Short mmCIF file of all heavy atoms in Angstrom, two decimals:
data_model
loop_
_atom_site.label_atom_id
_atom_site.label_comp_id
_atom_site.label_asym_id
_atom_site.label_seq_id
_atom_site.Cartn_x
_atom_site.Cartn_y
_atom_site.Cartn_z
N ALA A 280 104.79 101.56 113.22
CA ALA A 280 105.78 102.32 113.90
C ALA A 280 106.48 103.29 112.92
O ALA A 280 107.01 104.31 113.35
CB ALA A 280 106.81 101.41 114.54
N ARG A 281 106.46 102.96 111.63
CA ARG A 281 107.15 103.76 110.65
C ARG A 281 106.26 104.16 109.45
O ARG A 281 105.59 103.27 108.89
CB ARG A 281 108.38 103.01 110.12
CG ARG A 281 109.42 102.77 111.15
CD ARG A 281 110.58 101.98 110.57
NE ARG A 281 111.56 101.66 111.59
CZ ARG A 281 111.48 100.54 112.36
NH1 ARG A 281 110.48 99.70 112.21
NH2 ARG A 281 112.34 100.29 113.31
N PRO A 282 106.22 105.37 109.12
CA PRO A 282 105.40 105.80 107.93
C PRO A 282 105.79 105.07 106.65
O PRO A 282 104.93 104.84 105.79
CB PRO A 282 105.66 107.30 107.79
CG PRO A 282 106.07 107.72 109.19
CD PRO A 282 106.85 106.54 109.73
N ALA A 283 106.99 104.64 106.54
CA ALA A 283 107.45 103.91 105.34
C ALA A 283 106.66 102.62 105.14
O ALA A 283 106.46 102.14 104.04
CB ALA A 283 108.93 103.62 105.40
N THR A 284 106.21 102.05 106.26
CA THR A 284 105.41 100.81 106.16
C THR A 284 104.12 101.09 105.43
O THR A 284 103.67 100.29 104.61
CB THR A 284 105.15 100.27 107.59
OG1 THR A 284 106.39 99.97 108.19
CG2 THR A 284 104.31 98.97 107.51
N LEU A 285 103.49 102.21 105.78
CA LEU A 285 102.24 102.58 105.09
C LEU A 285 102.44 102.81 103.58
O LEU A 285 101.60 102.55 102.78
CB LEU A 285 101.63 103.82 105.71
CG LEU A 285 101.13 103.63 107.20
CD1 LEU A 285 100.72 104.97 107.77
CD2 LEU A 285 100.02 102.60 107.24
N ALA A 286 103.63 103.35 103.27
CA ALA A 286 103.93 103.57 101.84
C ALA A 286 103.92 102.30 101.02
O ALA A 286 103.61 102.29 99.84
CB ALA A 286 105.28 104.31 101.74
N LYS A 287 104.26 101.20 101.69
CA LYS A 287 104.26 99.89 101.01
C LYS A 287 102.87 99.51 100.55
O LYS A 287 102.69 98.78 99.60
CB LYS A 287 104.79 98.80 101.92
CG LYS A 287 106.21 98.93 102.26
CD LYS A 287 106.62 97.83 103.25
CE LYS A 287 108.07 97.96 103.67
NZ LYS A 287 108.48 96.93 104.62
N ALA A 288 101.85 100.03 101.26
CA ALA A 288 100.48 99.67 100.90
C ALA A 288 99.81 100.71 99.96
O ALA A 288 98.71 100.51 99.51
CB ALA A 288 99.65 99.57 102.20
N ALA A 289 100.51 101.79 99.67
CA ALA A 289 99.94 102.88 98.85
C ALA A 289 99.48 102.38 97.48
O ALA A 289 98.46 102.86 96.95
CB ALA A 289 100.86 104.01 98.70
N ALA A 290 100.15 101.45 96.89
CA ALA A 290 99.80 100.91 95.59
C ALA A 290 98.39 100.27 95.57
O ALA A 290 97.75 100.18 94.56
CB ALA A 290 100.82 99.90 95.09
N LEU A 291 97.95 99.87 96.76
CA LEU A 291 96.61 99.24 96.86
C LEU A 291 95.51 100.22 96.49
O LEU A 291 94.41 99.81 96.10
CB LEU A 291 96.38 98.67 98.23
CG LEU A 291 97.34 97.57 98.69
CD1 LEU A 291 97.07 97.20 100.14
CD2 LEU A 291 97.25 96.35 97.78
N ASN A 292 95.80 101.51 96.63
CA ASN A 292 94.79 102.54 96.30
C ASN A 292 94.55 102.59 94.80
O ASN A 292 93.60 103.19 94.35
CB ASN A 292 95.24 103.91 96.79
CG ASN A 292 94.73 104.14 98.21
OD1 ASN A 292 93.67 103.70 98.60
ND2 ASN A 292 95.55 104.86 98.97
N GLN A 293 95.41 101.99 93.99
CA GLN A 293 95.27 102.01 92.53
C GLN A 293 94.34 100.91 92.02
O GLN A 293 94.02 100.89 90.82
CB GLN A 293 96.63 101.90 91.85
CG GLN A 293 97.63 102.91 92.30
CD GLN A 293 97.18 104.33 92.09
OE1 GLN A 293 96.57 104.67 91.08
NE2 GLN A 293 97.30 105.17 93.09
N GLN A 294 93.89 100.05 92.93
CA GLN A 294 93.03 98.96 92.58
C GLN A 294 91.60 99.17 93.02
O GLN A 294 91.36 99.98 93.94
CB GLN A 294 93.57 97.65 93.21
CG GLN A 294 95.01 97.33 92.74
CD GLN A 294 95.51 96.09 93.43
OE1 GLN A 294 94.80 95.12 93.57
NE2 GLN A 294 96.77 96.16 93.81
N THR A 295 90.68 98.48 92.42
CA THR A 295 89.29 98.52 92.78
C THR A 295 89.02 97.35 93.72
O THR A 295 89.34 96.24 93.41
CB THR A 295 88.39 98.40 91.57
OG1 THR A 295 88.70 99.53 90.70
CG2 THR A 295 86.93 98.49 91.96
N TRP A 296 88.37 97.60 94.85
CA TRP A 296 88.18 96.56 95.87
C TRP A 296 86.66 96.33 96.13
O TRP A 296 86.32 95.95 97.23
CB TRP A 296 88.85 96.98 97.15
CG TRP A 296 90.34 97.06 96.99
CD1 TRP A 296 91.04 98.22 96.80
CD2 TRP A 296 91.23 96.00 96.94
NE1 TRP A 296 92.36 97.92 96.65
CE2 TRP A 296 92.54 96.58 96.73
CE3 TRP A 296 91.15 94.64 97.03
CZ2 TRP A 296 93.68 95.77 96.59
CZ3 TRP A 296 92.28 93.87 96.92
CH2 TRP A 296 93.54 94.44 96.74
N ALA A 297 85.84 96.46 95.11
CA ALA A 297 84.41 96.21 95.25
C ALA A 297 83.87 97.07 96.39
O ALA A 297 83.89 98.28 96.31
CB ALA A 297 84.12 94.71 95.44
N THR A 298 83.37 96.44 97.45
CA THR A 298 82.80 97.18 98.58
C THR A 298 83.80 97.62 99.60
O THR A 298 83.46 98.34 100.56
CB THR A 298 81.69 96.34 99.30
OG1 THR A 298 82.33 95.15 99.80
CG2 THR A 298 80.58 95.97 98.34
N ASP A 299 85.06 97.25 99.43
CA ASP A 299 86.11 97.64 100.39
C ASP A 299 86.71 99.00 99.96
O ASP A 299 86.72 99.34 98.81
CB ASP A 299 87.21 96.62 100.42
CG ASP A 299 86.78 95.25 100.97
OD1 ASP A 299 85.64 95.16 101.47
OD2 ASP A 299 87.60 94.32 100.96
N GLN A 300 87.19 99.71 100.94
CA GLN A 300 87.83 101.03 100.70
C GLN A 300 89.08 101.16 101.56
O GLN A 300 89.13 100.58 102.67
CB GLN A 300 86.87 102.12 101.01
CG GLN A 300 85.59 102.04 100.24
CD GLN A 300 85.36 103.24 99.36
OE1 GLN A 300 85.97 104.27 99.54
NE2 GLN A 300 84.45 103.10 98.46
N LEU A 301 90.05 101.91 101.10
CA LEU A 301 91.27 102.18 101.83
C LEU A 301 91.63 103.65 101.82
O LEU A 301 91.50 104.32 100.79
CB LEU A 301 92.44 101.39 101.17
CG LEU A 301 93.84 101.65 101.70
CD1 LEU A 301 93.97 101.15 103.13
CD2 LEU A 301 94.86 100.96 100.79
N ALA A 302 91.96 104.14 102.99
CA ALA A 302 92.50 105.52 103.13
C ALA A 302 93.77 105.44 103.93
O ALA A 302 93.79 104.79 104.99
CB ALA A 302 91.48 106.46 103.80
N ILE A 303 94.85 106.05 103.44
CA ILE A 303 96.10 106.00 104.10
C ILE A 303 96.45 107.41 104.63
O ILE A 303 96.50 108.36 103.82
CB ILE A 303 97.21 105.45 103.27
CG1 ILE A 303 96.89 104.03 102.83
CG2 ILE A 303 98.55 105.49 104.00
CD1 ILE A 303 97.86 103.43 101.88
N GLY A 304 96.60 107.54 105.94
CA GLY A 304 97.01 108.82 106.55
C GLY A 304 98.52 108.78 106.89
O GLY A 304 99.19 107.82 106.54
N PRO A 305 98.96 109.83 107.55
CA PRO A 305 100.38 109.87 107.88
C PRO A 305 100.86 108.88 108.95
O PRO A 305 102.02 108.52 109.00
CB PRO A 305 100.63 111.34 108.38
CG PRO A 305 99.23 111.76 108.80
CD PRO A 305 98.24 111.02 107.95
N ARG A 306 99.96 108.42 109.82
CA ARG A 306 100.32 107.49 110.91
C ARG A 306 99.48 106.22 110.93
O ARG A 306 99.77 105.36 111.74
CB ARG A 306 100.19 108.22 112.21
CG ARG A 306 101.15 109.34 112.38
CD ARG A 306 101.24 109.82 113.78
NE ARG A 306 102.30 110.75 113.94
CZ ARG A 306 102.13 112.03 114.14
NH1 ARG A 306 100.93 112.55 114.20
NH2 ARG A 306 103.18 112.84 114.23
N ALA A 307 98.47 106.14 110.14
CA ALA A 307 97.58 104.97 110.14
C ALA A 307 96.89 104.81 108.82
O ALA A 307 96.80 105.76 108.03
CB ALA A 307 96.56 105.09 111.28
N ALA A 308 96.42 103.60 108.57
CA ALA A 308 95.59 103.34 107.38
C ALA A 308 94.22 102.89 107.90
O ALA A 308 94.09 102.29 108.95
CB ALA A 308 96.22 102.25 106.54
N TYR A 309 93.23 103.23 107.15
CA TYR A 309 91.86 102.95 107.49
C TYR A 309 91.22 102.09 106.42
O TYR A 309 91.24 102.42 105.25
CB TYR A 309 91.05 104.27 107.64
CG TYR A 309 91.74 105.17 108.63
CD1 TYR A 309 92.68 106.07 108.20
CD2 TYR A 309 91.39 105.14 109.95
CE1 TYR A 309 93.30 106.93 109.10
CE2 TYR A 309 92.04 105.97 110.87
CZ TYR A 309 92.98 106.84 110.45
OH TYR A 309 93.61 107.70 111.35
N LEU A 310 90.70 100.95 106.83
CA LEU A 310 90.17 99.96 105.89
C LEU A 310 88.72 99.75 106.19
O LEU A 310 88.38 99.39 107.32
CB LEU A 310 90.92 98.66 105.94
CG LEU A 310 92.37 98.62 105.53
CD1 LEU A 310 93.27 99.04 106.65
CD2 LEU A 310 92.75 97.20 105.11
N TRP A 311 87.86 99.95 105.20
CA TRP A 311 86.42 99.60 105.30
C TRP A 311 86.28 98.27 104.58
O TRP A 311 86.58 98.16 103.37
CB TRP A 311 85.53 100.64 104.70
CG TRP A 311 84.11 100.19 104.66
CD1 TRP A 311 83.44 99.76 103.58
CD2 TRP A 311 83.21 100.09 105.78
NE1 TRP A 311 82.14 99.40 103.93
CE2 TRP A 311 81.97 99.59 105.29
CE3 TRP A 311 83.33 100.36 107.12
CZ2 TRP A 311 80.90 99.37 106.12
CZ3 TRP A 311 82.23 100.16 107.95
CH2 TRP A 311 81.02 99.64 107.44
N CYS A 312 85.81 97.24 105.29
CA CYS A 312 85.66 95.94 104.73
C CYS A 312 84.14 95.66 104.56
O CYS A 312 83.49 95.19 105.47
CB CYS A 312 86.29 94.86 105.67
SG CYS A 312 88.02 95.21 106.00
N GLY A 313 83.64 95.99 103.41
CA GLY A 313 82.20 95.95 103.18
C GLY A 313 81.56 94.59 103.32
O GLY A 313 80.38 94.51 103.68
#
């Protein structure tokens, strides 16, 4: 409901997730779970 919630997850982009990937947009986040 709030973009600030997505900002809480932004630090996850600094990590390596093997086959998983993360993209954060202005209203949603997209997670590929390999």
